[in-house]
Amino acid sequence: MILLHGFPLNADMWRPQLEQVPHGWRVIAPDLRGFGPASEIPAGARALTMDDFADDVDALMDALEIAEAVIGGLSMGGYIAFALARRAPERFTGMVLADTKPQADTPEGREGRRAMIALAQERGATAVADQMLPKLLGSTSHETRPQVAATVREMIESASVGAITGAVEAMLARPDSTADLSAISWPALVMVGAEDVITPLADAETMQTGIARSRLVVLPAAGHLSNLETPDAFSRAIADFLRSNM
Ligand code: MLT
C-alpha cells in the first residue's frame, strides 16, 4: 500500500499508520516532490501539475519493482491518486481516499491559492501554518489534542517555500476528477473526519456514490487530518478494508 501525504505536510504525517501496518502488508509513504528533507524545488522551476506528482509515484513504483498496489492519499494525496488513476489505472488494486474531494478548485478557491503563494513567499512557512492550522484540525483536536497541533505546526514550518509554491500551483490547476469516478473499478475506502471543514462529509459522499465498489467510513471527533487526529480509528478502518477486499 502506498500512502500519499497532504499539503503542506510530509511523509511523517503517516507515522501512526506506519506503526500499525496490517499483518502481511508493506506500507510505503514517500515525501512528495519538494517536501521532506531530501528534496528541493529550485527557484524559478516551471509550475508543477498533479500529473508531475503522479508521475513521481509511478516512477517510485518502477524503482521499487512494484507493479500494482493499494494506492491512497489524504487531501492533496487524494488529488494525486486521482491523477495517477487517469494515467496508470493498471497500477491500482485498491484505493484509499481520505479527507479529499474530486472537484477542481472554484474561482474563489483559486484566488485563495494565489494569496497563499504570496503569503509563503513574503512571510514564509510559519505564516502558512498560522493560516492553515485552525482549519486543518477539527474542533475536538483544538480543544483536547495540543500535541497534534504542535506536530502539524512543526511539519508545516519545515516545508520550504519552493515546495509550498509548487504544490499550491499544482492544486490550483488541477482538473475536475468527478467524471472519472465511474471509471474506478477497484475497491475504494473513502474516509472523512466528521469535523472536517476543508473537505467535508458531502465530498466524501460524492466519492462514495460515484465509485461503484466503495465504502464510506466517517471518523468521529476528527477533522481534516483524520489520520493524525484519530489514528487508531483510521488505521483500523484501513485494516478492515484490506482484510475484506484484498
Ligand atoms: C491538503 O490537506 O492537502 C490541503 O488542505 C488540500 C487543499 O488545500 O485543497
Side-chain angles (χ1 to χ4, degrees):
M1 177 165 67
I2 299 176
L3 294 176
L4 306 172
H5 64 78
F7 168 85
L9 306 175
N10 57 55
D12 274 350
M13 71 162 259
W14 294 117
R15 204 166 283 284
Q17 282 66 49
L18 294 171
E19 285 166 4
Q20 300 189 46
V21 172
H23 183 70
W25 283 82
R26 176 185 179 198
V27 179
I28 295 162
D31 282 324
L32 298 170
R33 192 189 297 209
F35 293 93
S39 167
E40 273 227 355
I41 295 186
R46 74 171 168 80
L48 295 180
T49 66
M50 280 303 149
D51 287 343
D52 291 319
F53 289 106
D55 287 347
D56 288 346
V57 177
D58 197 53
L60 175 69
M61 292 177 77
D62 274 345
L64 296 175
E65 298 183 5
I66 297 168
E68 52 183 28
V70 174
I71 302 173
L74 184 140
S75 200
M76 184 178 83
Y79 309 158
I80 297 167
F82 284 131
L84 185 63
R86 269 191 295 280
R87 294 167 85 72
E90 71 283 359
R91 291 298 205 180
F92 287 79
T93 56
M95 198 172 196
V96 176
L97 294 164
D99 301 282
T100 189
K101 64 180 173 188
Q103 302 92 332
D105 281 355
T106 60
E108 281 154 24
R110 291 199 181 102
E111 277 313 303
R113 301 281 193 207
R114 292 190 189 97
M116 179 165 293
I117 291 174
L119 180 71
Q121 293 184 342
E122 282 157 25
R123 296 185 32 222
T126 299
V128 172
D130 291 341
Q131 180 175 310
M132 289 193 72
L133 256 173
K135 283 188 166 182
L136 282 174
L137 301 179
S139 52
T140 306
S141 292
H142 282 300
E143 282 156 26
T144 64
R145 302 181 186 117
Q147 78 290 355
V148 176
T151 301
V152 173
R153 174 174 284 282
E154 197 179 311
M155 262 188 269
I156 298 177
E157 289 183 345
S158 76
S160 71
V161 172
I164 292 172
T165 304
V168 174
E169 281 171 341
M171 288 194 288
L172 85 78
R174 78 185 188 283
D176 198 299
S177 299
T178 312
D180 303 323
L181 295 176
S182 60
I184 295 177
S185 56
W186 46 84
L189 169 63
V190 177
M191 274 194 280
V192 64
E195 300 172 2
D196 185 344
V197 292
I198 297 181
T199 50
L201 176 61
D203 293 325
E205 287 172 342
T206 301
M207 295 186 287
Q208 201 264 314
T209 308
I211 302 174
R213 298 167 67 193
S214 61
R215 73 161 77 159
L216 172 62
V217 173
V218 181
L219 298 162
H224 187 61
L225 299 181
S226 58
N227 79 300
L228 282 168
E229 295 177 70
T230 55
D232 293 345
F234 189 100
S235 298
R236 215 166 29 242
I238 287 190
D240 288 348
F241 169 72
L242 295 177
R243 201 171 31 246
S244 52
N245 286 281
M246 296 298 138

